[in-house]
């Protein structure tokens, strides 16, 4: 009996062990971690997965948003005290629902007369923080957050901050070569610099990312939306074009290959880096880890040449629009609801006790306003509106 019991007990143990043992998964965590640890920690993929993200990864973009908000509130207050009644001008005067032209002049907008006659070069550093209206502010800041957060998480605040500031300044330089005698702001230029950086990151690391079509679609959508917005008055599209080129070149110079952290191998969303796991993954990582000195050197030389050329052209007072008659349509499309007129606006003024009548001597348009006690700068705004 004891022998039979021991046999049954042993038989029972043998039956239980196979049931409790599970086959190893095809992608074990040990193997996956060893692959992921080939590259150093702390480096992020281009479109970082939302897995293990920290709020501190986006302090730069948060700071930039605050600075833009402060600048916009300051501009709005300037407009209120200048007009004495409203924070934003009507759409008939500013189609972006923003301040008047004279207010933009006061807070630092670019204008041909300021750069050539008065040499107010401080405007190059102030203009990139100004917005033409609440519509411009909402679209520009939303797109900057959408693109900038992921770039900062992937490449770090230092590189993205340098690219942002240099692109903003370069965009203002390009704007100065095309600017007309109407005030313009260049805050969208820094956004276009980030878009150029995003494109350079995709090109540099094309084999690493999945969902490249979705990423390009997002880039093109943001780019086209803001370029069309630049066809309205007070926004300069030449600054956008210059900043985009700057961001593209600086991206090739400053960006590194994104480093891969632990994440699900099936992540493949637009902002989730779906790295393709295969037998050649290790070779691909080692190949991408190599620096690209030729690409960096060529991009840096091109950027320095363009920057130097713009500075020389600025000091010489070159106005490219004199050599390019159709360039004005890239910056502002004429429409019956706003004016793209670049010539001097002269109006005949007739005042009564409670009304003021302005007649444009250029086209004969007449408008009666129910006030008389306004500044000369405000009269010039109204004259430009009806002309």
């Amino acid at each position: 009996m004891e022998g039979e019991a021991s046999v049954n007990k042993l038989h029972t143990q043998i039956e239980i062990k196979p049931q409790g043992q599970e086959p190893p998964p095809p992608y074990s965590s040990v193997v996956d971690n060893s692959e992921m640890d080939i590259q150093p920690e702390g480096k992020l993929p281009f479109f970082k997965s939302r897995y293990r993200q920290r709020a501190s990864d986006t302090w730069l973009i948060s700071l930039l948003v605050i600075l833009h908000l402060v600048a916009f509130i300051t501009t709005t207050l300037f407009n209120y005290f200048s007009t004495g009644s409203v924070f934003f001008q009507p759409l008939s005067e500013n189609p972006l629902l923003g301040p008047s032209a004279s207010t933009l002049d006061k807070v630092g907008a670019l204008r041909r007369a300021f750069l050539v006659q008065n040499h107010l070069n401080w405007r190059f550093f102030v203009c990139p923080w100004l917005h033409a209206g609440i519509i411009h502010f909402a679209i520009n800041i939303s797109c900057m957050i959408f693109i900038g957060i992921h770039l900062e998480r992937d490449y770090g605040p230092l590189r993205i901050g340098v690219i942002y500031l240099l692109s903003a300044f370069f965009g203002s330089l390009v704007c100065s070569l095309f600017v007309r005698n109407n005030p313009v702001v260049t805050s969208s230029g820094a956004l276009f610099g980030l878009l150029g950086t995003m494109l350079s990151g995709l090109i540099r690391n094309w084999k690493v990312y999945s969902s490249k079509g979705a990423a390009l679609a997002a880039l093109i959508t943001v780019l086209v939306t803001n370029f069309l917005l630049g066809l309205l008055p007070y926004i300069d599209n030449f600054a956008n074009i210059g900043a985009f080129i700057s961001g593209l070149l600086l991206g090739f110079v400053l960006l590194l290959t994104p480093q891969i952290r632990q994440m699900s191998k099936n992540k493949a969303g637009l902002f989730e880096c779906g790295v393709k796991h295969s037998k050649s993954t290790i070779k691909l990582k080692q190949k991408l880890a190599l620096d690209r000195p030729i690409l960096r050197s060529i991009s840096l030389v091109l950027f320095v040449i363009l920057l130097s050329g713009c500075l020389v052209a600025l000091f010489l007072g070159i106005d490219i629009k004199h050599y390019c008659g159709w360039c004005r349509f890239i910056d502002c499309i004429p429409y019956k609801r706003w004016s793209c007129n670049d010539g001097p606006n002269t109006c005949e003024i007739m005042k009564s006790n409670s009304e003021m009548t302005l007649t444009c001597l250029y086209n004969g348009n007449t408008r009666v306003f129910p006030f008389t006690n306004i500044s000369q700068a405000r009269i010039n705004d109204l004259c430009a509106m009806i002309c």
Side-chain angles (χ1 to χ4, degrees), residues 16 44 95 106 109 113 147 182-183 190 206 236 266 281 289 312 332 346:
I16 291 174
L44 306 178
K106 293 178 181 178
I147 299 297
N182 295 324
W206 186 258
D236 192 84
N266 294 323
T281 302
V312 171
C332 184
T346 305

Side-chain angles (χ1 to χ4, degrees), residues 295-351:
L295 177 62
R296 293 180 189 274
S297 301
I298 294 176
S299 301
L300 180 59
V301 170
L302 288 177
F303 176 75
V304 172
I305 291 175
L306 291 176
L307 180 62
S308 303
C310 290
L311 288 173
V312 171
L314 174 65
F315 291 140
L316 295 178
I318 296 177
D319 187 2
I320 296 182
K321 74 175 186 295
H322 288 323
Y323 309 97
C324 179
W326 53 269
C327 287
R328 64 181 185 273
F329 298 109
I330 298 178
D331 189 35
C332 184
I333 297 296
Y335 186 59
K336 62 182 180 180
R337 294 187 178 274
W338 60 76
S339 174
C340 297
N341 182 27
D342 190 29
N345 299 312
T346 305
C347 291
E348 182 182 15
I349 305 173
M350 296 181 60
K351 293 183 179 181

Side-chain angles (χ1 to χ4, degrees), residues 238-278:
F238 292 106
N240 298 340
I241 297 173
F244 181 83
I245 297 174
S246 172
L248 181 67
L249 295 176
L250 290 174
F252 286 133
V253 173
L254 297 177
L255 297 188
L256 301 175
T257 298
Q259 309 297 309
I260 304 172
R261 282 186 176 178
Q262 298 179 17
M263 62 187 68
S264 173
K265 78 181 187 69
N266 294 323
K267 293 291 184 181
L270 173 59
F271 293 113
E272 295 175 345
C273 179
V275 181
K276 301 176 182 178
H277 294 272
S278 64

Side-chain angles (χ1 to χ4, degrees), residues 108-124:
L110 291 178
R111 187 194 283 260
R112 168 62 55 181
F114 293 152
L115 299 178
V116 176
Q117 300 173 7
N118 301 327
H119 301 286
L120 300 177
N121 295 329
W122 58 270
R123 294 177 178 270
F124 286 111

Side-chain angles (χ1 to χ4, degrees), residues 226-248:
N226 285 272
F227 187 85
L228 293 177
L229 194 67
L231 297 177
L232 299 177
Y234 307 126
I235 303 177
D236 192 84
N237 261 339
F238 292 106
N240 298 340
I241 297 173
F244 181 83
I245 297 174
S246 172
L248 181 67

Side-chain angles (χ1 to χ4, degrees), residues 67-274:
L67 293 176
H68 279 288
L69 180 61
V70 170
F72 183 71
I73 293 175
T74 302
T75 304
T76 303
L77 293 176
F78 262 91
N79 191 72
Y80 177 79
F81 290 116
S82 297
T83 60
S85 57
V86 295
F87 290 102
F88 306 114
Q89 301 307 121
L91 294 176
S92 58
E93 183 176 351
N94 187 335
L96 296 165
L97 197 61
S100 63
S102 59
T103 299
L104 291 176
D105 287 337
K106 293 178 181 178
V107 295
L110 291 178
R111 187 194 283 260
R112 168 62 55 181
F114 293 152
L115 299 178
V116 176
Q117 300 173 7
N118 301 327
H119 301 286
L120 300 177
N121 295 329
W122 58 270
R123 294 177 178 270
F124 286 111
F125 304 97
V126 176
C127 191
W129 303 98
L130 303 179
H131 290 81
I134 191 171
I135 298 175
H136 181 208
F137 177 83
I139 295 177
N140 187 67
I141 294 300
S142 299
C143 294
M144 186 182 74
I145 294 174
F146 176 70
I147 299 297
I149 280 180
H150 298 283
L151 288 177
E152 184 180 357
R153 283 171 175 166
D154 292 348
Y155 297 110
L158 179 60
R159 291 184 178 88
I160 299 304
V162 170
I163 293 175
Y164 184 93
L165 294 177
L166 288 179
S167 297
F169 178 72
F170 186 80
S172 296
L173 283 180
V174 175
C175 169
S176 67
L177 304 180
F178 294 89
V179 69
R180 303 175 299 160
N181 202 28
N182 295 324
V184 293
V185 297
T186 61
S187 55
S188 295
L191 170 63
F192 275 75
L194 295 180
L195 292 174
T197 305
M198 176 180 172
L199 180 60
S200 67
L202 281 173
I203 295 174
R204 279 178 52 89
N205 310 292
W206 186 258
K207 294 183 180 180
V208 176
Y209 306 119
S210 62
S211 301
K212 292 182 285 288
L216 287 175
L219 187 152
I220 293 174
T221 300
V222 174
L223 189 147
V224 171
T225 299
N226 285 272
F227 187 85
L228 293 177
L229 194 67
L231 297 177
L232 299 177
Y234 307 126
I235 303 177
D236 192 84
N237 261 339
F238 292 106
N240 298 340
I241 297 173
F244 181 83
I245 297 174
S246 172
L248 181 67
L249 295 176
L250 290 174
F252 286 133
V253 173
L254 297 177
L255 297 188
L256 301 175
T257 298
Q259 309 297 309
I260 304 172
R261 282 186 176 178
Q262 298 179 17
M263 62 187 68
S264 173
K265 78 181 187 69
N266 294 323
K267 293 291 184 181
L270 173 59
F271 293 113
E272 295 175 345
C273 179

